[in-house]
Amino acid sequence: MSAELISGKDLATNIKKDLAVEVEELKKQGVTPHLTVVLVGHDPASESYVKGKEKACAETGMGSNVIRLDETISEDELIQTVDKLNKDDAVHGILVQLPLPDHIDEQKIIDLIDPEKDVDGFHPVNIGRLVTEQEGMVSCTPLGIMEMLDSKNIEIQGKNAVVVGASNIVGKPVAQLLLNRGATITNCHIYTEDLKAHTKMADILVVAVGKAHLITADHVKEGAAVIDVGINRLEDGSMTGDVDFENVKEKASYISPVPGGVGPMTITILLKNTIIACKRQENVE
Ligand code: GUN
């Protein structure tokens, strides 16, 4: 058996087309969704992510700008920048690119972003809303994973979902989203003693660890749906996931590739979140 591919790339392209239509409709009502990204310093990976976000906003007709701040900026100056954006009615979404320099308390900055403009879904109020199943902003990669599962009508309710990785950005929120949809969840992490014993039970397996080929065919139940969030650079410069794709695809029923899987979905959901935030703030449909 060879698994069916879940292409995040193709799905993202389709969703972006729909978002562009939605943006056009909003513009007719005099509203343009606007995302502001705050970038502190010149981390090459962050620069590249931010460029991707700007490009995607432009493609869908949304407004965006990047506030670039020197890495020597004080915490107070960054606080003032975020405060200004919170008060700016023309800004619907605020994203402070992480990581921040060591002298700035990241959580303090996240806590300061207006939860209604927190398109990353990182604010504790939004995390609380996710846990209590209230309307809020949900972080982009986990939502993207859910859309990938839904694009193939993969059953979630009553199924065993195993998430490997317990980060605040991916592992914990995706486990919560799966729980909210009625899955029985297991969240594995670095202290999990027998990883394989857990992953072999998974009907849905989400891996977000950052360790190349951690998950082999031995870890996977026949017919499972496998979502690989890992992005790892090999010595030859190529990119690979946390899942041994070539072998696991022979056992799984669905599998997402790296590259072209979860990655392209994250930015697309950021655009979607900005549009949702815009509609709520402007009281338009
Ligand atoms: N750095 C890497 N990924 C992300 C993300 O999703 N959001 C923010 N704010 N920073 C990041």
Side-chain angles (χ1 to χ4, degrees):
M1 181 170 122
S2 194
E4 188 176 331
L5 206 66
I6 310 180
S7 166
K9 193 166 169 247
D10 293 348
L11 185 57
T13 303
N14 286 336
I15 294 173
K16 274 193 277 191
K17 277 184 200 152
D18 292 344
L19 294 181
V21 172
E22 213 171 324
V23 170
E24 210 167 293
E25 287 301 316
L26 285 169
K27 281 181 170 172
K28 281 183 197 157
Q29 300 178 61
V31 173
T32 304
H34 190 99
L35 172 71
T36 297
V37 176
V38 179
L39 176 60
V40 182
H42 300 283
D43 175 63
S46 293
E47 290 268 12
S48 152
Y49 286 136
V50 169
K51 273 206 185 89
K53 286 164 188 166
E54 274 187 294
K55 186 169 163 264
C57 282
E59 277 169 8
T60 44
M62 287 173 47
S64 76
N65 69 310
V66 182
I67 299 179
R68 291 171 189 276
L69 301 170
D70 198 83
E71 60 190 305
T72 58
I73 190 175
S74 70
E75 192 176 86
D76 268 352
E77 283 172 285
L78 183 56
I79 288 171
Q80 279 168 33
T81 303
V82 172
D83 211 33
K84 240 192 196 159
L85 294 171
N86 281 340
K87 290 177 182 137
D88 186 343
D89 288 342
V91 174
H92 304 107
I94 303 170
L95 184 144
V96 178
Q97 185 67 30
L98 304 177
L100 290 170
D102 290 343
H103 67 280
I104 297 175
D105 181 345
E106 239 167 51
Q107 193 60 50
K108 194 169 168 181
I109 301 301
I110 290 169
D111 290 356
L112 199 81
I113 298 171
D114 179 347
E116 309 313 316
K117 296 189 178 188
D118 168 38
V119 284
D120 256 331
F122 293 168
H123 192 287
V125 163
N126 282 321
I127 311 270
R129 286 171 175 162
L130 170 63
V131 173
T132 54
E133 298 185 64
Q134 299 177 65
E135 194 176 86
M137 302 304 309
V138 180
S139 59
C140 304
T141 303
L143 265 188
I145 293 167
M146 299 306 284
E147 295 229 4
M148 289 168 79
L149 294 171
D150 286 340
S151 74
K152 298 290 180 191
N153 293 316
I154 292 164
E155 214 177 323
I156 297 173
Q157 190 172 312
K159 298 296 173 191
N160 287 337
V162 177
V163 178
V164 185
S167 70
N168 289 338
I169 294 180
V170 183
K172 287 183 204 166
V174 80
Q176 188 63 51
L177 284 169
L178 288 160
L179 176 65
N180 291 355
R181 289 278 296 273
T184 300
I185 55 161
T186 303
N187 201 170
C188 299
H189 44 72
I190 48 168
Y191 301 117
T192 299
E193 286 188 353
D194 186 354
L195 181 63
K196 212 178 274 184
H198 295 287
T199 57
K200 278 179 82 113
M201 300 289 289
D203 301 305
I204 298 166
L205 179 60
V206 179
V207 193
V209 173
K211 212 167 165 185
H213 298 183
L214 171 74
I215 301 298
T216 61
D218 282 357
H219 289 81
V220 177
K221 178 178 168 179
E222 195 85 41
V226 180
I227 304 285
D228 189 352
V229 189
I231 298 175
N232 308 288
R233 286 260 171 221
L234 295 179
E235 271 175 22
D236 66 3
S238 64
M239 196 192 279
T240 193
D242 291 348
V243 174
D244 174 6
F245 181 87
E246 285 308 319
N247 291 309
V248 171
K249 81 174 190 330
E250 299 306 324
K251 215 167 170 188
S253 59
Y254 295 94
I255 190 166
S256 72
V258 176
V262 175
M265 288 299 290
T266 299
I267 290 185
T268 304
I269 302 296
L270 173 67
L271 305 180
K272 195 169 176 178
N273 275 353
T274 304
I275 293 170
I276 291 170
C278 167
K279 285 177 168 176
R280 288 182 190 156
Q281 286 159 49
E282 302 284 351
N283 269 318
V284 290
E285 266 310 304

